[in-house]
Every structure is written in C-alpha cells, then in structure tokens.
Amino acid sequence: MKKIFSLWAAGALGLPVALAGVSAVPAFESASIYAEAKGKASEPALEYRAAGENAWKTSIAPVLSPEGKELRGALWDLEEGTQYEYRVRQNGSFESGTFTTRTAKVPIARTIVLTQESFNGHLELNESGTPEGYVRYTAKPGTILLADGKHHDAIRGKGARYVILEGLTIRGGNFHCINLEDCEDVRVLNCDIAGFGAPELPYVLEEGRQHLLTTAGKGVVNHESGIFISGGKNVVAERNFIHDARGRSNSWFFAHPAGPNGICICKCDAPVIRWNDMIGSDHHRWNDVIESGGNGEPWGGPKRDAEIFGNYLAFGDDDSIELDGGQQLVRLRFNRLEGSYSGVSTAPSINGPGFVVQNLTMKQGEEFGLVGSILKHSYRYFPGRIFVFGNTMVNNSKAYVSPFGAKGVTPEQRKLLKLVSRNNLFCSPETPQYKDPELKCDADYDFFSGMEPLEIKSPVHEKHALRGTPDFVDAANGDFSTKGALKGEKLPVFGDTVGIPCMMPMRPLALKTSVYTLSLDRKILKKTVTVTSSGYDGRFTVTHPEDSCIRVTPASGSIRPGESVTLTVEALPEAAADARLHCSAFLVRTPEGLSRPVSVYYDDRDDAEKVALARSKVVYGEVKAVSKGEVELQFKGVPEGQYYLAVWFTAMPNWAGIGFPGGKLQRVRILRQPGTNFGWARVNWGDTLVRDSGPRSKVRQVCMPRKVSGDLSFRLRRPEKLDPKPVYCALFHLPEEFFYAPQTLTAKEKSLPRPEK
C-alpha cells in the first residue's frame, strides 16, 4: 500500500514551517498537541508514550493551521490521570513535552444536598470552588427538582468555577434546563434532565411566515437545550440521560427544522461530552440531538480541543450531531447515532483539523422517514481539514456529501488538503458526492455496499475502493460490527480495520445486551432481551423516555459477574395514538449513570382504522387519464382552507410537471419517504422564501400550503423515463395525515374511482 501520511503533513504543501515550541491540551482519553511553526519543514511527525515506557507510538501526522502559524495534532487511546511524553518532529529534529490527562476523581471541598424546598424552583450557581476543592451539588435518590416556570432556566451558572452537578433529577426550565455561560471546570454528571423548553404548539400556517413552532408569536423556538454550554472552558457533560423536552422540532416536510436539543454548545474551549444518552421520542423529537451555535463562526460549535466520546444520540429531525464551526482538534469517536435526518455535520470546519473516527450511524430518518446524508460537509468553503476514519454508516440515502461550497475559493486554498477519508464502511443505495474535484480531497480504501454501480464522479477518489456485502454480526438486531475483519489501509493508532471495531457506543461498562435494537408490530407485541454481566456487580434500573409506547419489565434488579437477567419488552397499542413507525429506546442503567441502550421500533402502520381516523379531514379527488403520461386531478366542493396536495403513485418519481388552471406546466419536486417505491407522496405546490420573525431573523425556504376552495382541476405530467402511474389524489392539512403511514390505503381510499388505463 502507498504511504499517504506525507500528504497530511504540512511539508507536503511546500509551505515554510519550523518548530519553536510545543504545548498540549489533554482531555480524558485523548489530547491536542500544538507546535509553533516557522521556516521550511519536511514531513512532520507526532509520537507519544506513557511516562516510563520505552517504545514510542506514532499518531496521525500533525496538520499545518490554515494561517500557517502552527502544527496541530491529536493523541489517542490515553488513560485517565496518567502522565505522557510526546514529541513533534520537524526538519529532522524533535521538540518534546509532557502532560497529564484529566481524571474523573477531583477533590470535593463542600457538598450541597438539594431538596425541592432548598431548590425552590431555580438554582443560581453563585458559589465557586477551586482546583483544590470543588463545590458539589447533589440530591437524595428519588428527589425530583421541579423548576418554577418563572425562570429562563432551571439551573443557571454564569462564570461558575469548579462546580459539580451530580445525580440530579430535574424537570423544567422555560428555555434551557441547565444553562452554563462562561463557566470553567464545571461538570454535569449522571443527571436525569427532561421537561424543559416551550410547550408543544401547533404548526403555524400563516401566509408569509415560516412553518415552524412559535411562542406567542415571538418567533421560532430553537436552541432550547437540556444542557446549554456557551463560552468558558473544560466543561464536562457525562453519563446524563436527556429526554422529553416539552416541545418538538418541526419536520423537513415544512422547512429546515428548529426546536429543542439535548445539548447545544458554542464558544467553549476543551469541552468533554461522553457517555450520555439523549433520546427523542415520537412527539418530542430533537432538532439536532447535539447542536452547534454559531455554525459559520470560528467560535462555533465545540470550537476547539473537544472530546465527544461514547454517546448515544437518537431521534432528531435534523442532524444527530453538529460539529459546525471552529472544529479545531475536535474529536468525535465511539458514538452511536440513530434515527435522525442526517448523521454528522462537519459543515464549515473553519480552523481544523476535525476527526470523525469509529462511530456508528444507523436507521436514519426523521419523524416522517425523510433522510439526508450520513456525513454532511456542505457549506461555504473554509480551509480546516477533516479526517474521517473507520466509521460504519448504514442508511437508505446519500452516503457522503462533500461539496464544500467551492465558489470563490482562491488558487492557494485549492492547494490545501480538505478531506481525508479512510476505512469507512458505507451501506447505502446512493454513491458519495464529491461535487468539486478541484478541491483537494483524499478519499480511498472505503468499503461500499448496496451501490450498483459505484459511481465516483472524480477520478482522484476511491482508487482502491472495496466492494461487497459486509458480514455483520447481527444487523437485524442492530449489531453492525463485522464477523471477519475487513482490511483497508493501515493507519497509525487506528490500524487497518474497516468500520467500527465493536458495537457502539463504547463505554467502560461490563454489561452486554443480547440485542441492540428490536422491532415489534401488531402481530408480535412482545420480545425478550438478555442482559449479561462480564464483570459488573450491582444494581441496575431500566428507564426510557416518558413519551413512549413500550413497557420493559422488570424495571430494576441486581446482577453479578457471569449472571444473566431476562427483560421483557412489550409494545402498548393503547399508548400509540397514531399509526406510524414508533421510535423509542430503553436504557439498562447503573446507579453511576453508565448504560447500555436498546432502541425499540413498534410498527402499526398497517392499522387502517387509525389511519382512517387521521385522514378524516382529508378531501379526496379523482384522477382521470388525459393522454399518455398526463392525468387530470379533479376536486369538487373543496371547503375553503390551506391545503397540500398528495398523490398515490404506483412507482415513485422524484419530480413531476403540474399545471394550474390557466397556467403552464411547472416542474416540481415530489416528496416521498426514501426506500418506498409506491404510496402517497407530496406533490410540491412550490417552495416559498420567507423571513421568520425571530430575534435572529433569516430567510428560509419553506413549503407552503395553498389556499383553495370550490371545484378544482390540475394537470399532472409524470417523467417520461419512468412509469409512475398516479392512482389517487387528495388535499390535506398536515403531514401526519399521510406521511406516518404513506403506503397504507384506507377502506374509503380503496373504493375511490381509478383512472382508466
């Protein structure tokens, strides 16, 4: 195999660099390394070892910063509270340094045990600790701290230092639950956070306004967060369960989603987000599970020196996680991303480098099943580099989107290497999109499955692409690790294994579940899951979002090494008001907050009675053949109102031509669930650009309904290359009416007249 690491080094760009000092920013399991650069350099290298060891380990070669002033690299697989030596080579000589990784064990100077009375509906973190002694807030088991509804947040820390919030169960907060502003060395550990934000409100369908949730007409509800982190440094969010925001996000059916998040972060140096569970639900889905503030700013998102490891991020209407913004040595590793529109957004990567390493993305889809890309790099161009190594990404839409908004990029910027992709496993029906081959990307040795044929538009990408069908351990039950190791290119630290090395999220917990996801339906309402201990000795609880149509028994228990416990997972049809694919998950959780998540899908989309109830206000029309490839959609006596147009196709097109009375045919998009080849689809009336009324007002593309009444007729021409026959048509008010169960026909619909052949 060829050597590629010189391509990643600053010397390969022919830029003048020389070493004049080094520094480290350690986290718990990884570290950022900086080296001052001056003069001309050749093939920089980065090595490290634990203090007292003889052999040096080699890491990925450091990268020259966009402004050319320093080299930036990362170290991996470190132990907590351990001293390390490192050295950076340039021009044939080494500069070395030492550091000690962060530790979970910190000294406590004072513990404050909160009660509902002392909490009194709100807590200001006015008391700070010191490095020699933190101030720790906790509560007795079973205590629920209820916010009073009068404050912006349930807990607010502005400028707090050396504070720990641990073991708190918190409900409420008018906007955020925990708001940490310009805090340093504050840790939020093992907390149960829910019930925050604005209440669930109906969609706003007023002409000229965005179709998003609003609060009393004051604008878009967005960025509400279980934990909001803005500014400061060394903030830790670890082992928290965040769920059941009061409100919900809007779907991509209307416009770009806006709504609550599990965590939102911006401007913070060296944050750590690890081993958290952030689970949305049917009626309380996230916007982004982890959202970035200031996407297009150098301070945006995790900003710099971030460690985001071992999280379970589930059920959002947009991204599972945004790393957007500075992305300066931001490291995303060992996470499981499930059930959102897109997986990872690295959009701008302004400073770089950013790392997306050994994560699992699975079962993508927002609340109506719409799916975006697994990895999304689409934004205007910024020079920060992105490394994507050893991920497993399984979805039914785009594998990779990397346009990088190359318009206006200078000749000097085109010389900079933007993306390096190695040893990733893509299981997807659509090929990667490298839209601007003039930007310097190095994508190779990735494994592609389900793409026939594999079409990479640029000849410089994926020269050694691997093809085939991966032998997953148990894909049906959510285990997307492979039985036999797939081999790609040998990389420092990460080796040559393609895809994830084991099931995600990776956590230091000696408990294992027999499945990682399970499916229930109206015929099979109940299944069992076995929990096995390979070393854990203690109690556990089983918990899940409150908005859920599942029950798991027993709800708690004890387990010893070598023992197993059987859990019964049952769907509750009476708790499932809509016929849809219900998304939920439960956690087998220890008292310390470490857990094993199992996602649960209950499918009752074939319940025609529920579907008929949901469509009780739908206005049906008739499809009449006009000519080959063209039909007329006729409606009579339509009550005045705002409507969308739906058509049942025997085969799904991506676009069609629609002709309004007295007008020409217009080409419009067809919105359908990916992976469906027949059923109901939205025929777009036409997108509208509107300005929302929020404090950060911006113009957005919005799908608007049309105000119609009386007798109507429309011409519909299908694409000539396909044969998607329109059979039925309808006018509807909200996507819930058709898009929870787009392939189900009610008895009334089956009796509608069909067009003549």
Side-chain angles (χ1 to χ4, degrees):
M1 293 183 179
K2 65 177 182 178
K3 293 183 178 180
I4 63 174
F5 298 103
S6 61
L7 294 176
W8 305 343
L13 302 175
L15 299 173
V17 291
L19 201 59
V22 292
S23 62
V25 182
F28 293 90
E29 303 176 49
S30 59
S32 301
I33 302 298
Y34 294 90
E36 186 179 348
K38 291 180 181 179
K40 188 175 181 180
S42 61
E43 296 193 356
L46 175 59
E47 298 177 339
Y48 63 107
R49 64 186 179 187
E53 292 184 351
N54 293 322
W56 290 91
K57 299 177 182 178
T58 301
S59 191
I60 303 298
V63 172
L64 187 67
S65 62
E67 71 282 0
K69 294 183 179 180
E70 65 183 2
L71 293 172
R72 298 170 180 165
L75 305 181
W76 307 85
D77 295 332
L78 308 180
E79 297 290 333
E80 290 187 23
T82 302
Q83 187 177 32
Y84 285 88
E85 302 172 357
Y86 67 95
R87 61 186 187 184
V88 182
R89 186 186 69 205
Q90 257 188 108
N91 295 329
S93 62
F94 284 98
E95 189 83 7
S96 61
T98 63
F99 64 87
T100 300
T101 50
R102 299 172 70 178
T103 177
K105 298 178 181 180
V106 295
I108 305 298
R110 183 184 177 206
T111 294
I112 301 171
V113 180
L114 296 171
T115 64
Q116 180 59 34
E117 289 71 27
S118 62
F119 178 69
N120 196 26
H122 177 72
L123 175 66
E124 290 280 346
L125 302 180
N126 294 322
E127 184 176 351
S128 290
T130 67
E132 291 74 34
Y134 282 63
V135 175
R136 176 175 174 262
Y137 291 87
T138 188
K140 292 181 179 180
T143 301
I144 300 176
L145 304 177
L146 300 174
D148 57 16
K150 300 177 183 179
H151 293 84
H152 189 267
D153 322 294
I155 297 177
R156 180 176 181 265
K158 182 174 175 59
R161 304 289 188 272
Y162 302 101
V163 172
I164 295 175
L165 302 173
E166 185 171 13
L168 304 178
T169 298
I170 315 166
R171 297 291 182 266
N174 276 1
F175 207 85
H176 308 308
C177 186
I178 299 175
N179 184 3
L180 302 177
E181 183 181 349
D182 296 325
C183 294
E184 295 184 11
D185 294 281
V186 170
R187 301 186 178 190
V188 183
L189 311 176
N190 191 16
C191 292
D192 183 332
I193 296 168
F196 55 89
E200 184 175 349
L201 299 170
Y203 295 114
V204 174
L205 302 178
E206 298 175 21
E207 191 68 29
R209 292 188 61 187
Q210 191 174 176
H211 284 219
L212 301 181
L213 306 180
T214 65
T215 303
K218 294 182 180 179
V220 175
V221 174
N222 203 18
H223 293 121
E224 301 170 308
S225 303
I227 303 174
F228 186 79
I229 304 169
S230 176
K233 66 180 181 180
N234 298 337
V235 174
V236 176
E238 177 185 304
R239 294 174 281 125
N240 300 293
F241 177 32
I242 308 176
H243 57 104
D244 291 290
R246 290 180 69 202
R248 61 185 291 181
S249 169
N250 68 280
S251 164
W252 270 102
F253 177 94
F254 295 115
H256 189 295
N261 317 109
I263 291 177
C264 186
I265 184 170
C266 62
K267 302 182 181 180
C268 187
D269 291 347
V272 173
I273 302 173
R274 64 175 184 169
W275 309 333
N276 300 282
D277 299 296
M278 304 176 213
I279 305 174
S281 55
D282 284 348
H283 303 100
H284 300 278
R285 293 185 73 100
W286 308 116
N287 169 16
D288 303 309
V289 187
I290 296 181
E291 182 168 12
S292 293
N295 291 10
E297 303 292 341
W299 48 260
K303 186 184 174 183
R304 59 175 292 171
D305 307 316
E307 184 176 86
I308 307 173
F309 281 24
N311 299 284
Y312 177 51
L313 311 178
F315 309 133
D317 276 340
D318 197 20
D319 304 318
S320 290
I321 183 167
E322 287 186 336
L323 302 179
D324 306 343
Q327 287 182 66
Q328 182 171 315
L329 288 170
V330 170
R331 303 176 289 277
L332 182 75
R333 194 180 188 194
F334 298 147
N335 302 278
R336 174 175 159 189
L337 318 176
E338 182 171 0
S340 296
Y341 178 77
S342 291
V344 181
S345 174
T346 63
S349 190
I350 296 171
N351 296 324
F355 294 87
V356 179
V357 180
Q358 294 169 324
N359 302 281
L360 170 65
T361 304
M362 57 179 283
K363 290 185 176 291
Q364 278 184 254
E366 50 101 87
E367 62 183 290
F368 298 118
L370 305 178
V371 177
S373 57
I374 304 176
L375 280 162
K376 182 181 68 178
H377 306 310
S378 50
Y379 207 81
R380 66 184 186 272
Y381 178 83
F382 286 102
R385 192 171 304 176
I386 303 166
F387 293 99
V388 183
F389 296 151
N391 301 278
T392 294
M393 292 160 274
V394 183
N395 93 348
N396 59 359
S397 187
K398 304 177 186 69
Y400 222 138
V401 177
S402 321
F404 293 118
K407 184 178 180 181
V409 178
T410 66
E412 291 75 19
Q413 289 171 331
R414 291 192 183 277
K415 296 177 183 179
L416 300 175
L417 182 58
K418 177 63 183 176
L419 169 71
V420 179
S421 176
R422 289 291 189 279
N423 299 352
N424 300 290
L425 196 164
F426 295 101
C427 231
S428 172
E430 295 190 30
T431 57
Q433 299 178 19
Y434 302 102
K435 291 186 177 179
D436 194 326
E438 294 184 29
L439 290 179
K440 197 170 183 181
C441 297
D442 183 7
D444 207 353
Y445 291 97
D446 294 317
F447 187 102
F448 297 92
S449 178
M451 304 173 195
E452 297 292 346
L454 176 61
E455 296 178 356
I456 305 297
K457 295 182 179 180
S458 172
V460 302
H461 298 130
E462 301 294 357
K463 292 183 178 179
H464 303 89
L466 308 172
R467 302 295 308 279
T469 301
D471 190 10
F472 291 125
V473 171
D474 189 1
N477 291 309
D479 191 341
F480 291 102
S481 55
T482 54
K483 294 178 183 178
L486 301 172
K487 300 298 182 182
E489 182 165 13
K490 189 172 183 180
L491 309 177
V493 182
F494 310 117
D496 59 1
T497 298
V498 173
I500 55 175
C502 62
M503 187 56 195
M504 299 295 150
M506 186 181 290
R507 291 171 175 173
L509 177 60
L511 286 178
K512 182 179 180 181
T513 54
S514 57
V515 301
Y516 301 94
T517 183
L518 59 82
S519 299
L520 302 171
D521 55 37
R522 293 206 298 154
K523 294 180 180 179
I524 303 175
L525 290 172
K526 188 183 299 185
K527 290 184 178 180
T528 60
V529 176
T530 302
V531 182
T532 304
S533 171
S534 60
Y536 177 75
D537 187 350
R539 292 195 57 78
F540 67 88
T541 57
V542 178
T543 187
H544 54 72
E546 297 159 14
D547 173 31
S548 178
C549 61
I550 65 169
R551 176 170 56 209
V552 185
T553 54
S556 63
S558 297
I559 193 169
R560 305 184 73 175
E563 291 183 346
S564 296
V565 174
T566 298
L567 305 176
T568 299
V569 184
E570 183 179 7
L572 306 175
E574 66 276 11
D578 306 300
R580 63 191 293 181
L581 180 63
H582 302 270
C583 304
S584 191
F586 68 88
L587 306 172
V588 181
R589 201 164 188 253
T590 70
E592 294 73 32
L594 284 171
S595 74
R596 290 291 176 217
V598 177
S599 57
V600 183
Y601 295 86
Y602 171 52
D603 190 350
D604 65 349
R605 288 175 290 186
D606 61 350
D607 190 331
E609 291 185 6
K610 283 185 179 179
V611 174
L613 182 62
R615 297 176 187 170
S616 59
K617 296 182 180 180
V618 166
V619 178
Y620 292 98
E622 185 176 351
V623 179
K624 291 198 172 184
V626 175
S627 62
K628 183 179 180 180
E630 188 170 318
V631 297
E632 190 172 82
L633 312 180
Q634 297 181 351
F635 296 89
K636 294 182 178 180
V638 178
E640 183 175 320
Q642 301 274 0
Y643 294 97
Y644 295 98
L645 174 62
V647 174
W648 174 281
F649 290 99
T650 57
M652 287 291 188
N654 293 317
W655 60 271
I658 187 170
F660 301 106
K664 297 181 180 180
L665 281 174
Q666 302 176 23
R667 177 169 166 155
V668 297
R669 295 183 299 115
I670 304 296
L671 185 73
R672 61 184 177 90
Q673 284 190 0
T676 59
N677 54 12
F678 69 92
W680 288 103
R682 187 193 77 195
V683 178
N684 197 17
W685 292 100
D687 288 344
T688 303
L689 295 177
V690 299
R691 181 176 294 278
D692 70 62
S693 56
R696 297 181 179 179
S697 180
K698 62 176 68 174
V699 174
R700 300 177 186 265
Q701 189 174 31
V702 177
C703 174
M704 301 288 288
R706 282 180 176 262
K707 187 176 181 179
V708 296
S709 63
D711 296 341
L712 310 167
S713 64
F714 311 98
R715 289 179 297 143
L716 186 72
R717 179 179 292 277
R718 62 183 186 263
E720 295 179 359
K721 294 181 180 180
L722 301 175
D723 190 25
K725 294 183 177 63
V727 179
Y728 308 113
C729 61
L731 300 176
F732 65 101
H733 299 281
L734 291 173
E736 291 89 334
E737 295 168 324
F738 278 110
F739 293 99
Y740 282 156
Q743 293 186 304
T744 300
L745 285 173
T746 66
K748 179 179 180 178
E749 291 166 352
K750 291 178 181 177
S751 68
L752 295 172
R754 298 170 64 97
E756 298 177 1
K757 294 183 180 180

